Amino acid sequence: MSTVNYSRRLLPALLVLVIFCVVVPSAHAARPAEFVENDVWEQMMRFLSLRDQGVRLVLGGSLLLGIGCGVLGSFMVVRKLALAGDALAHGVLPGVVLGFLWNLTKDPLHLFVGAVISGMLSMAVVTVLKRTTKLKQDAILGIVLSGFFAIGTCLLTMGFGLEAGHKAGLDHFMFGQAAALDHLDIQAMSWVTGVSLVIVALLYPKFLLLSFDQAFASSLGLPVRFLHQLMMLLLTFSVVVALQAVGVVLVSAMLVTPAASAYLLTKRFHIMLVWAAGFGMLSGAVGALLSFLGSGLPTGPLMVLSASAIFTIVFCFSPQQGIVIKHFRHVNRQRRVVLENLLKAVYHASERDAHTSDGMTLLDLAKVKRQTLDTIQQDVGGLVRRGLATLSHDGDVLYLTDAGMSRAAQLVRNHRLWELYLTNAADYAADHVHDDAERIEHILGEATVRDLERRLDFPSVDPHGSPIPALSAKS
Amino acid sequence: MKTENAETNVLPLELHDLTVAYHSKPVIYGIDVEVPAGKLVGIVGPNGAGKSTLLKAVMGVLKPTAGWVKIFGEDAKDNLRRIGYVPQRESVDWDFPVTVMDVVLMGRYGKLKWFGWPSKADRHLARECLEKVAMLPYANRQIANLSGGQQQRIFLARALAQEADLYLMDEPFAGVDAATERAIITLLHEMRDAGKTILVVHHDLPTAQNYFDMLLLLNMRLVGFGPTKEMFTQENLQKTYGGRLTILSEIADAMGREA
């Protein structure tokens, strides 16, 4: 019950969040002051038709970063290294800026080399701290993340001071600007993503084992440490690919959120990879589109908002764990219990007068169930719709159909068998068993019932002396 | 019973002066053991005696600070394919998104080439191993939905899939139901009768007496190793469980502080 109450309280909050995620960016984008010449639809058509070279670059970049982050992020999520991804993302910043300061151009190669060196350096510091101190992972990551980020921010501010820094759009590295991607960037991103994906595909069994059971992996003689370093290198690659479009601050969200959404959806890791890549691409593309419509909004936050919206949807509606789905399932079950209890009431009434009458007035039913006539009429409607009962012409008397009668007999049988089982086998007192049986009767499966019958040696009377109905109601 | 082959004279496992330290703090000291082939050996000792450490050092997962390990007469790292390993059940995350089949297939990964994926033959073998532990019907289940006993059977099936000659098992009986315990011990006896050598870390003394051919009593150093009947004496058990050897553990603590 408590989870239900919890989800009920949570639901409105979630709806607000979803609406917020969807409406706020678009509302902002639609503010007329921002568009002197183009309106939103025209902008959207421009984006979707891919007429512009610029739009194609932006979209391509977003898709590439979505795949890379989704796939590598999945490994981080299942290895409980999600925060290491965050530390790495901040750790690359000093390298990126130094790569730029090297010769004051935004040459992707220099930025890439700088980022990889600085990212791996940050991870090395984490490893050293972990090995030589008693500090736990979270504290170590906190230190490294903020330290490297501070260095990076200082360097970035210095870079701003230079005129070339402004021109190269160095400021975009903080919050991301997909529109700043040029041809060379996309080329570099494609190569890096392609190489990463090929390596992951070739080494998939090894990476899977490393993630699931490292001790077993090293017992097989696999080079565990090398594989881990390689995975971190690939992670650095995907961070660097995403850097310009998403920005340092939020890259980790693109690693974690699509992968976490995928994690809620599947029980197979390779399928999780596919979902995560898909969610990553979708959030990338939607974020780029929103940014395009809002002319000049930073892309990073918009992509992350899209990813969060996807996560929210999955959280609510995933078939197994979605809380909305769970809620509906619960409501359905409650409804079924109410109807089944009505069936039982009719059965009991007919049992009292030795099955001579085959109907019961709604008024009597309301009295027995201590409900208002309105409620009873409503519930009876449910029985009629399911073909379990019919009403007399004036609507006053309820008759069970054959199906309804046999379901009622089944319930009563479940109830009485369970009572008997509790008193006989579990040593319950006869006056303690009724409430428990009231709950259990609705969920006992056919197999369990047969098993109960066998164990109780096919009884005919329950602990209170009432007959246990046979399998077929008409007999 | 035992399969006769050219190697009957080669010991499956030989430890010489094996010492292992965590953060320079010794956990096991100078262990000398020669395990003969085709025996089911129980490793018994109190908490912190270094039982798991011993297994990990045999496989090279932990690097020994001194001494050496030989597996079938060769350096351990060159002969890892002949070892099958069952880690402690709690050592992995059972919410991991893999199925039972996926886990058992991992037993084949040691035989894969660098860029290899498991083949159809591997799958077939994995199914057979699952059948041996009566878990085939669960092959496509996610591991999260299994009971403790079932999880343990999966790990056993994975070890069987390794087709090894020397098996190292870390507490395979921990937290399993009585039926699973019986099934596992039957399986271990079958494996032993097929000529495999099996080392099992075990916690429960009363059953240890009945389950194993030989006992290895461990408490930071080797207390004794031999046939169960000879080892299972009041005096030996007292030595094993009667508190840690004070001087040894004091020195270990001191070395830990120095480091």
Side-chain angles (χ1 to χ4, degrees), chain A residues 10 18 28-29 114 131 135 162 226 264 276 283 302 364 367 429 448:
Chain A
L10 218 54
V18 174
H28 187 103
R131 227 174 270 162
L135 285 172
L162 308 168
F226 168 77
L264 294 184
S283 352
L302 293 177
D364 284 344
K367 277 182 202 155
T448 323

Side-chain angles (χ1 to χ4, degrees), chain A residues 78 80 131 201-206 208-209 211-213 215-216 218-221 223 226 263 267-269 272, chain B residues 59 61 80 85 87 92-93 95-99 102 106 109-110 113-117 140 142-143 158 162:
Chain A
V78 295
K80 307 187 188 87
R131 227 174 270 162
L202 287 176
L203 290 178
Y204 176 76
K206 266 91 186 163
L208 177 67
L209 181 53
S211 310
F212 175 64
D213 191 347
F216 189 76
S218 64
S219 88
L220 295 179
F226 168 77
Y263 183 81
K267 58 175 184 172
R268 303 293 299 275
F269 189 62
M272 176 177 164
Chain B
M59 297 176 298
V61 174
L80 282 173
Y85 178 42
V92 304
D93 171 14
D95 284 331
F96 200 95
V98 282
T99 60
D102 294 333
M106 289 175 187
Y109 285 9
K113 301 219 172 58
W114 248 102
F115 297 124
W117 283 53
N140 292 323
Q142 184 178 12
I143 56 172
R158 181 174 71 172
Q162 290 184 270

Side-chain angles (χ1 to χ4, degrees), chain B residues 64-81:
Chain B
T65 22
W68 47 255
V69 177
K70 285 210 162 141
I71 289 160
F72 293 99
E74 280 179 53
D75 239 22
K77 66 175 186 318
D78 302 323
N79 234 349
L80 282 173
R81 336 190 121 214

